[in-house]
Amino acid sequence: MNQVFTRPESLKDVQTHFCPGCHHGSVHRLVAEAMDEFDIRNKTIGVASVGCSVFLYGYFDVDVIEAPHGRAPAVATGAKRARNDRIVFTYQGDGDLAAIGTSEIIHAANRGEDITVIFVNNTTYGMTGGQMAPTTMVGQKTSTSPYGRNQAKDGYPIRMAELLAQLEGVAFSARVAVNSPKNVMQAKKMIKTAFRYQVEGRGFSFIEALAACPTNWGMNPLAANERIGSEMIPYFPLGVYRNTANL
């Protein structure tokens, strides 16, 4: 019997700790598959942020630097400038990148740092209790917005892929989702393109991945997965927002 589905070499052979229905594992696999396809595992440096994304070092078989909350793009900038022969990527959540790390991501992108940023958007602070994040949907209930996000006092969810695409330093910016086989295949393509930009030395690349957080959404995994298609994608449309080299 032939084995047709295997673990990517860039992932460690460990059991996942993520909650049932969480999409971090799916995004991890797609990132690892891109590393394997480019054969860059032995020269890749990951930068882990604070949040559920902090467990990067436990799953990827690459060197990993732990960054202070929100500062992963700054740490990645230092790593890439010190070792420009390495492939450097950050893996961040919305509470990390779009809140406390807003300054770091905008300025790293605007400078055109030759790094790849993987941004997981599940519209909540996943690790610390499900608080309202900059990406929380209008009307969404969280531990700090028990009556639902009110745009009159809380503002609107930030669309990071579009925001960063306006900066001249950004070479590639795209939004993907992992809620269906079709979207997973497209996400794999976009993540591979993001790493290709860095492999070819073409500049800053950014992937926003829409993901489910059933635990903090108060949903079962199936309902959480369906929410991505019914509520998140209409507000956060999938697609490529900047592709300077047309890869």
Side-chain angles (χ1 to χ4, degrees):
M1 182 179 295
N2 294 326
Q3 185 174 3
V4 297
F5 190 75
T6 61
R7 170 181 52 83
E9 291 184 5
S10 296
L11 284 182
K12 296 178 181 178
D13 187 9
V14 295
Q15 184 174 341
T16 183
H17 84 287
F18 290 118
C19 301
C22 172
H23 282 150
H24 272 293
S26 299
V27 179
H28 280 186
R29 181 179 180 89
L30 297 181
V31 171
E33 287 178 346
M35 291 183 194
D36 286 1
E37 291 188 31
F38 286 115
D39 193 23
I40 57 175
R41 178 174 65 88
N42 290 328
K43 66 173 186 177
T44 295
I45 299 172
V47 182
S49 62
V50 173
C52 293
S53 55
V54 74
F55 297 105
L56 180 74
Y57 54 80
Y59 294 107
F60 283 87
D61 192 14
V62 300
D63 292 328
V64 175
I65 302 172
E66 182 65 37
H69 200 182
R71 315 308 186 218
V75 173
T77 294
K80 184 68 176 185
R81 291 190 181 192
R83 295 298 303 271
N84 61 14
D85 60 323
R86 302 302 189 194
I87 301 299
V88 181
F89 77 100
T90 75
Y91 188 91
Q92 302 176 254
D94 45 1
D96 178 81
L97 180 144
I100 192 171
T102 312
S103 174
E104 277 70 16
I105 189 61
I106 287 178
H107 288 289
N110 193 53
R111 292 192 304 267
E113 300 293 344
D114 195 13
I115 61 175
T116 300
V117 174
I118 307 298
F119 167 56
V120 179
N121 175 3
N122 57 17
T123 73
T124 190
Y125 279 72
M127 174 182 275
T128 57
Q131 296 92 341
M132 183 174 66
T135 52
T136 296
M137 303 295 292
V138 172
Q140 180 179 341
K141 294 181 180 180
T142 72
S143 61
T144 52
S145 59
Y147 301 106
R149 180 174 188 157
N150 181 348
Q151 69 271 22
K153 69 184 179 83
D154 302 321
Y156 292 86
I158 297 177
R159 297 182 176 100
M160 290 302 303
E162 293 93 325
L163 188 155
L164 295 181
Q166 300 176 59
L167 303 176
E168 293 300 323
V170 174
F172 183 75
S173 177
R175 182 182 293 114
V176 302
V178 289
N179 64 316
S180 69
K182 177 183 177 181
N183 285 343
V184 168
M185 294 302 293
Q186 185 65 11
K188 178 178 180 177
K189 178 182 177 182
M190 293 297 101
I191 290 173
K192 184 178 178 181
T193 299
F195 275 95
R196 182 181 173 189
Y197 263 90
Q198 188 176 172
V199 168
E200 297 181 0
R202 296 180 180 270
F204 182 93
S205 55
F206 179 83
I207 292 289
E208 177 177 347
L210 303 183
C213 184
T215 297
N216 286 302
W217 291 356
M219 296 179 172
N220 63 50
L222 180 60
N225 193 69
E226 292 175 347
R227 177 180 180 258
I228 294 176
S230 64
E231 185 177 348
M232 290 179 67
I233 291 177
Y235 187 86
F236 298 107
L238 307 184
V240 177
Y241 292 94
R242 190 172 179 88
N243 190 359
T244 56
N246 199 31
L247 298 181

